[in-house]
Amino acid sequence: MMFDLSKKTKICIEKVKGVPGYVCRKIWKVGRDDPRRVIHAFKVGFSLTLVSLLYLLEPLFKGVGKNAIWAVMTVVVVLEFTAGATICKGLNRGFGTLLAASLAFLFELIAREYGQVFRAFLIGASVFLIGTATTFLRFFPRIKKNYDYGVLIFLLTFNLITVSSYRADDILKLAHGRISTIAIGCGVCILMSLFIFPNWSGEDLHYSTVSKIEGLAKAIEACVDKYFKDDETDIEIDETQEDPIYKNYKAVLDSKSTDETLAHHSSWEPRHSLHCYKFPGKQYVKVGAVLRHFGYSIVALHGSLQTEIRTPRSVRMLFKDPCIRLASEVTKTLNVLAASIRTRRHCSPEILTEHLQSALQDLNHALKSQPRLFLGPDGPNNTSKMLALVAATGRQRSESPLARKSTESPSFSKGTPTGAEKRVLRPTLSKLAITSLEFSEALPFAAFAALLVELVARLDIVIEEVEELGRVACFKEYKHENDVILDVPRPSREINITTPAGAE
Amino acid sequence: MMFDLSKKTKICIEKVKGVPGYVCRKIWKVGRDDPRRVIHAFKVGFSLTLVSLLYLLEPLFKGVGKNAIWAVMTVVVVLEFTAGATICKGLNRGFGTLLAASLAFLFELIAREYGQVFRAFLIGASVFLIGTATTFLRFFPRIKKNYDYGVLIFLLTFNLITVSSYRADDILKLAHGRISTIAIGCGVCILMSLFIFPNWSGEDLHYSTVSKIEGLAKAIEACVDKYFKDDETDIEIDETQEDPIYKNYKAVLDSKSTDETLAHHSSWEPRHSLHCYKFPGKQYVKVGAVLRHFGYSIVALHGSLQTEIRTPRSVRMLFKDPCIRLASEVTKTLNVLAASIRTRRHCSPEILTEHLQSALQDLNHALKSQPRLFLGPDGPNNTSKMLALVAATGRQRSESPLARKSTESPSFSKGTPTGAEKRVLRPTLSKLAITSLEFSEALPFAAFAALLVELVARLDIVIEEVEELGRVACFKEYKHENDVILDVPRPSREINITTPAGAE
């Protein structure tokens, strides 16, 4: 028992000893993931010290007095990670305070005429009314989205001044002190966020859009590679190792709220380009929505890798080339789009559709001419089926029935053929060696192909929206170079740009 | 010119006259969408008036003094729509203040020994250090998720007390006043949110899960109905009127952040059932994730209604019954799951899979036995193709080539048949009247069928997670009744339950 206890203590001590290391690793990881976080932390510390000087330094304190504490509070609350968020909060706080002070002053003017008791009643009533109305106002979607913080501050300040006015002599001085110190706090915050290592929501949105498109491209590539590379033995491993593909597109699926927040904050940021009047946050949100829709198709494509019924490898191999070509064209187009956004330069409209069109036609052609889909009139015994592949392109090879997967569910073996069909067709089949393929086996491949084709259809919408983005965001003219540049998604001069990071 | 101006003024006046009506309609709509909003607004107004009494009533004011204003501020900031959110914020605020006050007091003890200048330096340094460290701490995902507000309040209070201490004589009194009034404010908020018309995040999450499942069920039904009901002429209208289906599943797609927020807040709520220890928010989030994944398949299914290449109506009709049956089984199962969650009662495990299994086998059977997919060796002229449908079930009818869609892309007409094939097969075809169907035309239907089958596969995961939810949330025992109850998703006794509303 004694031994047991000491052992437990030892384990406990070991664990506690491990904590500092763990914490250090964690801190290092959070900082390394996005070094701007460290800079932002120092910015907040510095700003706080700066406004604290209002209180600590004698001459400054004489100017603002005890209200200096409001400046400190403002900095704590308003200084956010990106410039847009800070400006949004700062202006909301500023105008909310101003509006509330005006209204409170008006109430005070009315209440001043009456006696102490009636005044108390009036203050209570106004607090109730304004509190109820303001809270209800916050449920309006548009106000909630844009001015929620401002409304909150309005309510806060109004109550603060109205209630205080009951005991304070000079309400004007109270309001003035609060407003001026909050203005100082907001000013410090906005200056810090705009001029010292600024982080722009617009930039975050821009680069997160680029990385989302690249992620989708990678996901498609990985999906198609896996579909055609798979040996039959891989099936079990597949189901556990879905991460590499999922990882690439998952950021797109749940990007709605992040996108909208970034776009909203970016709408408060001053333009940071001489070319364009305003940052087109809304268009980025639209691109994000289209990408999300594109992503849903990839989810379905990914899902078709994991279906129970699998198309035989030999059949898949028959369509491998056109499918891989189509997928690589889609991937290439996505990378071109990503590069176009990244470099803020229009991309050539012809090249986007030219190769894609021909790849699509290739696949159509392959689907049309190569495989002869024939559901032979089989009896209840499946093993007598014949799978002979004739590739019209010249590589005529036929595979033995053994090559087919034998993991079919029993429900598949219920055909209703007539004897007559059997007798007439069998010789024809053997003579012509037509590709025989069960529809239920072709199903997963058909779904895969159809989803690929649909990806192209949706890619068209993505291209449209990205081109619209190019117009709205005043991208640079397309520079006509030889085609080589379009195969290189990331021009080397862009490498030194900071990687896009998680919002706020 | 003059006339023009007066006309413009008139229009302007008309517009302004329309504003009150618009505002009233808007207010009415926001209130009617969720009447709890009106109640919440009144609750806030009432609470504010209550804490204002601390300031307005002489005996109370003597007790707490000017610090009463902190109680008002706390109510403004802490009182949220749901009980969970209020408790989360209140406790965060309370503990943040307490911790900050303790730390500030410690600093004060150290700083007290030194002279005024060194003290100012020490305060400035501590503000900088704590400010930087705390801000960095807020980037840790776990802290950001659970304690962000608490950390913010910690920083706020620490700065407030530390900086104030430089000029204030009795820092202990300052801290005590702030802590006690904040405690009063938090107490009022928590009491109001717990006992007066409480809104539970857990309930919101519960009912939003139910309505999401029902929405998915409706979307599947609508998709399949549309796919099989469509006349060829409807195609154009379809593309503009995608709303009814989209409306049903869109809530699921972007539900991640809402779900997580509700689950987080619900984790702060006291249990509201005698059966179970804790509200299983995490399991609801898991169900939400599974539903989202299920929803992606529906998006793909919906997408397959809008593809360019359409399977001929006659072929679709051939598979109509098994597909509709499978879809209706999926729908029914989803409704059973929704009803199970709604009534907090386990659902019979056999019934969930029994019908579904047989519907799936029906479809498999239909796919296997009914259609004979045959890509006839066509020459460059497509019109000579024959489409004769033999349904093995008895309804033997053949359609003329005119019934087929003629909107095929030119790329489809490039076959590479040999003359020999042509000669041998043509008579056989006409004799047997085998269903001839281009693979590229069967493609969209195959995709549709494959997606339906995949829906069933994913439904299995949904069932699993809902059953797990039933276990974790201690649902009532499954009551064995006759099958009729399972066809009625909403038992009449449940109708008076409030509809689930958007979170906060």
Side-chain angles (χ1 to χ4, degrees):
Chain A
M1 190 68 194
M2 200 64 185
F3 176 75
D4 221 47
L5 207 71
S6 76
K7 205 176 167 186
K8 267 184 189 166
T9 320
K10 245 184 191 171
I11 292 169
C12 230
I13 289 172
E14 282 299 312
K15 266 188 187 168
V16 171
K17 266 184 187 167
V19 166
Y22 175 76
V23 169
C24 285
R25 275 197 305 277
K26 204 85 188 163
I27 289 174
W28 176 247
K29 193 186 169 302
V30 169
R32 200 195 44 192
D33 279 357
D34 189 358
R36 297 179 302 171
R37 290 171 177 167
V38 182
I39 295 173
H40 174 67
F42 278 107
K43 267 163 74 176
V44 173
F46 180 69
S47 309
L48 281 175
T49 317
L50 208 69
V51 290
S52 295
L53 292 183
L54 283 180
Y55 213 93
L56 298 179
L57 295 183
E58 201 62 37
L60 291 177
F61 184 73
K62 268 180 192 155
V64 288
K66 286 216 169 182
N67 280 313
I69 215 66
W70 289 109
V72 178
M73 283 179 73
T74 302
V75 170
V76 172
V77 179
V78 167
L79 195 55
E80 292 275 338
F81 186 63
T82 63
T86 307
I87 295 171
C88 172
K89 263 197 150 175
L91 293 186
N92 262 307
R93 189 176 176 97
F95 282 103
T97 306
L98 210 64
L99 220 72
S102 323
L103 194 68
F105 190 63
L106 206 78
F107 261 102
E108 170 66 12
L109 276 183
I110 298 166
R112 191 184 286 169
E113 309 292 314
Y114 302 97
Q116 198 74 339
V117 177
F118 187 74
R119 227 176 117 195
F121 178 75
L122 208 68
I123 288 173
S126 73
V127 165
F128 178 78
L129 273 181
I130 295 285
T132 305
T134 311
T135 307
F136 190 69
L137 202 68
R138 288 176 70 194
F139 285 117
F140 285 75
R142 197 178 301 177
I143 286 169
K144 179 150 196 71
K145 197 182 149 205
N146 293 307
Y147 310 108
D148 195 50
Y149 186 68
V151 174
L152 187 76
I153 290 298
F154 168 82
L155 182 59
L156 198 70
T157 308
F158 177 81
N159 285 331
L160 203 69
I161 295 180
T162 310
V163 174
S164 304
S165 75
Y166 190 66
R167 307 262 171 201
D169 300 325
D170 198 352
I171 184 176
L172 208 61
K173 200 178 158 197
L174 190 93
H176 174 258
R178 182 169 153 87
I179 289 174
S180 62
T181 45
I182 282 184
I184 292 172
C186 286
V188 168
C189 288
I190 290 175
L191 288 181
M192 285 299 279
S193 66
L194 278 184
F195 297 111
I196 296 176
F197 298 109
N199 304 317
W200 305 102
S201 290
E203 294 285 296
D204 274 9
L205 187 57
H206 181 88
Y207 287 110
S208 82
T209 304
V210 172
S211 77
K212 275 190 293 184
I213 297 179
E214 286 172 350
L216 289 178
K218 273 182 215 152
I220 294 173
E221 213 170 7
C223 266
V224 174
D225 277 2
K226 201 173 172 188
Y227 190 76
F228 289 108
K229 206 174 63 185
D230 257 355
D231 297 319
E232 306 292 330
T233 48
D234 273 359
I235 300 168
E236 284 314 302
I237 308 163
D238 289 347
E239 279 166 26
T240 52
Q241 283 187 333
E242 59 169 359
D243 277 16
I245 298 174
Y246 178 65
K247 197 180 66 194
N248 281 315
Y249 66 71
K250 80 170 171 193
V252 176
L253 297 181
D254 302 310
S255 59
K256 194 181 181 225
S257 58
T258 317
D259 275 10
E260 280 176 358
T261 309
L262 283 178
H264 171 225
H265 287 156
S266 74
S267 70
W268 291 86
E269 282 169 4
R271 59 170 178 176
H272 28 73
S273 154
L274 285 172
H275 302 293
C276 221
Y277 175 63
K278 212 170 165 290
F279 183 80
K282 271 186 189 168
Q283 187 56 32
Y284 276 98
V285 170
K286 263 190 198 168
V287 172
V290 170
L291 287 179
R292 229 163 21 248
H293 229 72
F294 191 80
Y296 298 149
S297 289
I298 297 180
V299 177
L301 197 72
H302 189 198
S304 72
L305 301 190
Q306 298 159 325
T307 40
E308 296 281 309
I309 319 158
R310 289 172 71 87
T311 312
R313 186 181 152 81
S314 46
V315 179
R316 276 186 279 147
M317 283 308 140
L318 211 59
F319 298 100
K320 184 178 175 182
D321 290 340
C323 277
I324 284 193
R325 195 182 154 205
L326 183 63
S328 80
E329 283 303 330
V330 172
T331 306
K332 208 191 279 175
T333 308
L334 283 176
N335 280 329
V336 169
L337 289 177
S340 153
I341 298 179
R342 183 192 292 275
T343 58
R344 292 199 170 83
R345 185 180 286 284
H346 283 290
C347 45
S348 154
E350 312 100 55
I351 277 161
L352 279 178
T353 45
E354 210 170 66
H355 291 113
L356 206 62
Q357 205 66 271
S358 77
L360 197 59
Q361 284 187 7
D362 258 24
L363 181 62
N364 273 344
H365 188 250
L367 292 174
K368 169 92 176 34
S369 66
Q370 272 211 15
R372 313 257 154 94
L373 276 179
F374 192 93
L375 183 74
D378 307 310
N381 50 338
N382 262 338
T383 45
S384 69
K385 267 185 279 169
M386 193 185 67
L387 179 80
L389 294 163
V390 177
T393 45
R395 37 179 175 131
Q396 266 170 319
R397 49 177 171 138
S398 41
E399 301 200 6
S400 71
L402 289 172
R404 300 191 51 204
K405 267 181 74 192
S406 57
T407 56
E408 293 157 347
S409 69
S411 66
F412 278 38
S413 55
K414 289 177 203 156
T416 54
T418 60
E421 283 174 11
K422 224 172 187 171
R423 253 172 287 132
V424 181
L425 268 174
R426 190 53 52 85
T428 323
L429 277 170
S430 57
K431 205 155 100 196
L432 290 175
I434 287 170
T435 305
S436 166
L437 180 61
E438 263 190 64
F439 188 57
S440 53
E441 266 185 343
L443 211 67
F445 173 73
F448 186 82
L451 285 168
L452 263 185
V453 172
E454 192 170 325
L455 272 186
V456 177
R458 293 200 178 173
L459 182 64
D460 215 45
I461 307 171
V462 173
I463 293 173
E464 220 166 74
E465 289 296 337
V466 171
E467 277 177 349
E468 177 64 25
L469 176 67
R471 266 190 296 281
V472 181
C474 315
F475 280 4
K476 282 169 280 182
E477 288 282 300
Y478 168 63
K479 217 178 92 224
H480 188 71
E481 289 171 81
N482 38 11
D483 285 354
V484 180
I485 197 163
L486 285 153
D487 294 331
V488 184
R490 262 170 259 197
S492 56
R493 67 197 145 95
E494 288 299 333
I495 279 171
N496 56 349
I497 275 175
T498 55
T499 53
E504 191 197 354
Chain B
M1 191 67 195
M2 200 64 184
F3 175 74
D4 221 48
L5 206 73
S6 76
K7 205 177 166 186
K8 267 185 189 167
T9 321
K10 245 183 188 171
I11 293 171
C12 229
I13 290 171
E14 282 298 313
K15 266 189 188 167
V16 170
K17 265 184 187 168
V19 167
Y22 174 77
V23 169
C24 284
R25 276 197 304 278
K26 202 84 190 165
I27 290 174
W28 175 250
K29 193 187 169 301
V30 169
R32 200 196 44 193
D33 279 357
D34 189 358
R36 297 179 301 171
R37 290 172 178 168
V38 182
I39 296 173
H40 174 68
F42 278 107
K43 268 163 72 177
V44 173
F46 180 69
S47 310
L48 280 175
T49 318
L50 208 69
V51 288
S52 295
L53 292 182
L54 283 181
Y55 213 93
L56 299 177
L57 296 182
E58 201 62 38
L60 291 178
F61 183 73
K62 268 180 192 153
V64 287
K66 286 217 169 180
N67 279 314
I69 215 66
W70 290 108
V72 179
M73 283 179 73
T74 301
V75 170
V76 172
V77 179
V78 167
L79 195 54
E80 293 274 340
F81 186 64
T82 63
T86 307
I87 295 171
C88 171
K89 264 196 150 177
L91 292 186
N92 263 305
R93 191 178 174 93
F95 281 104
T97 306
L98 210 64
L99 220 72
S102 324
L103 193 68
F105 191 64
L106 206 78
F107 262 100
E108 172 65 13
L109 275 184
I110 297 166
R112 192 184 286 169
E113 309 293 315
Y114 302 96
Q116 198 75 339
V117 178
F118 188 75
R119 227 176 117 194
F121 177 77
L122 208 70
I123 289 174
S126 73
V127 165
F128 179 78
L129 272 181
I130 296 286
T132 306
T134 311
T135 307
F136 191 70
L137 202 68
R138 288 176 71 194
F139 285 116
F140 285 74
R142 198 179 298 178
I143 287 170
K144 178 150 197 71
K145 196 181 151 207
N146 293 310
Y147 309 109
D148 195 52
Y149 186 67
V151 173
L152 186 76
I153 289 298
F154 168 82
L155 183 59
L156 199 71
T157 308
F158 177 80
N159 285 330
L160 204 69
I161 296 179
T162 310
V163 174
S164 303
S165 74
Y166 189 66
R167 307 263 169 199
D169 300 325
D170 199 351
I171 185 178
L172 209 62
K173 203 180 159 195
L174 190 94
H176 175 256
R178 183 170 152 87
I179 289 172
S180 64
T181 46
I182 282 183
I184 292 173
C186 286
V188 168
C189 287
I190 290 174
L191 288 180
M192 285 298 278
S193 67
L194 277 184
F195 297 111
I196 298 177
F197 299 108
N199 305 316
W200 306 103
S201 289
E203 292 285 296
D204 274 9
L205 187 57
H206 181 87
Y207 287 110
S208 80
T209 304
V210 172
S211 77
K212 276 191 293 183
I213 297 178
E214 286 172 350
L216 290 178
K218 274 182 214 153
I220 294 173
E221 213 169 8
C223 267
V224 174
D225 277 2
K226 201 174 171 189
Y227 190 77
F228 290 108
K229 207 175 62 185
D230 258 357
D231 297 321
E232 305 292 329
T233 49
D234 273 359
I235 300 168
E236 283 314 300
I237 308 164
D238 289 346
E239 281 168 24
T240 52
Q241 283 187 334
E242 61 169 358
D243 277 14
I245 299 175
Y246 178 64
K247 198 181 66 193
N248 281 316
Y249 65 71
K250 77 171 173 194
V252 176
L253 297 182
D254 302 310
S255 59
K256 194 181 180 225
S257 58
T258 316
D259 276 10
E260 281 176 357
T261 310
L262 283 178
H264 172 226
H265 288 157
S266 73
S267 71
W268 290 85
E269 283 169 3
R271 59 171 180 176
H272 29 71
S273 154
L274 284 172
H275 303 293
C276 220
Y277 176 62
K278 212 170 167 286
F279 184 79
K282 273 187 188 166
Q283 187 58 30
Y284 276 98
V285 169
K286 263 191 199 166
V287 171
V290 170
L291 287 179
R292 233 166 13 250
H293 228 73
F294 191 79
Y296 299 149
S297 290
I298 297 180
V299 176
L301 198 71
H302 188 198
S304 71
L305 301 190
Q306 298 159 324
T307 39
E308 296 281 309
I309 319 157
R310 290 172 69 88
T311 312
R313 186 180 151 81
S314 47
V315 179
R316 277 185 279 148
M317 284 307 142
L318 211 60
F319 297 102
K320 184 178 174 180
D321 289 341
C323 277
I324 285 194
R325 195 183 155 206
L326 183 62
S328 80
E329 283 304 331
V330 172
T331 307
K332 208 191 280 175
T333 308
L334 282 176
N335 281 328
V336 169
L337 290 177
S340 152
I341 298 179
R342 183 193 293 276
T343 57
R344 291 200 172 82
R345 185 180 287 282
H346 282 288
C347 45
S348 155
E350 314 100 53
I351 278 160
L352 278 178
T353 45
E354 210 169 68
H355 290 114
L356 208 60
Q357 206 63 273
S358 78
L360 198 59
Q361 283 186 8
D362 259 25
L363 181 61
N364 273 343
H365 188 249
L367 290 175
K368 169 91 174 33
S369 65
Q370 272 209 17
R372 312 261 153 93
L373 276 179
F374 190 91
L375 182 75
D378 307 309
N381 53 336
N382 260 340
T383 46
S384 69
K385 266 185 278 171
M386 194 187 65
L387 179 79
L389 293 165
V390 178
T393 45
R395 38 180 173 132
Q396 267 169 319
R397 51 179 168 136
S398 42
E399 300 200 7
S400 70
L402 288 172
R404 299 191 50 206
K405 267 182 75 194
S406 56
T407 57
E408 294 157 347
S409 66
S411 66
F412 279 38
S413 55
K414 292 177 204 155
T416 51
T418 59
E421 283 175 10
K422 223 171 189 172
R423 253 172 286 131
V424 181
L425 269 174
R426 188 57 51 85
T428 324
L429 278 170
S430 59
K431 206 156 98 194
L432 290 176
I434 287 170
T435 304
S436 166
L437 180 61
E438 265 192 62
F439 187 57
S440 53
E441 267 185 341
L443 210 68
F445 173 73
F448 185 83
L451 285 169
L452 262 185
V453 173
E454 191 170 326
L455 272 186
V456 177
R458 294 202 177 172
L459 182 64
D460 215 46
I461 307 171
V462 173
I463 293 173
E464 219 166 75
E465 288 297 337
V466 171
E467 278 177 349
E468 177 64 27
L469 176 66
R471 268 189 295 280
V472 181
C474 315
F475 279 5
K476 281 168 281 183
E477 286 281 300
Y478 168 65
K479 213 163 139 193
H480 188 73
E481 288 172 84
N482 39 10
D483 285 355
V484 180
I485 197 162
L486 286 153
D487 294 330
V488 184
R490 264 170 259 197
S492 57
R493 70 198 141 93
E494 289 298 333
I495 279 173
N496 56 350
I497 276 176
T498 54
T499 51
E504 193 194 345

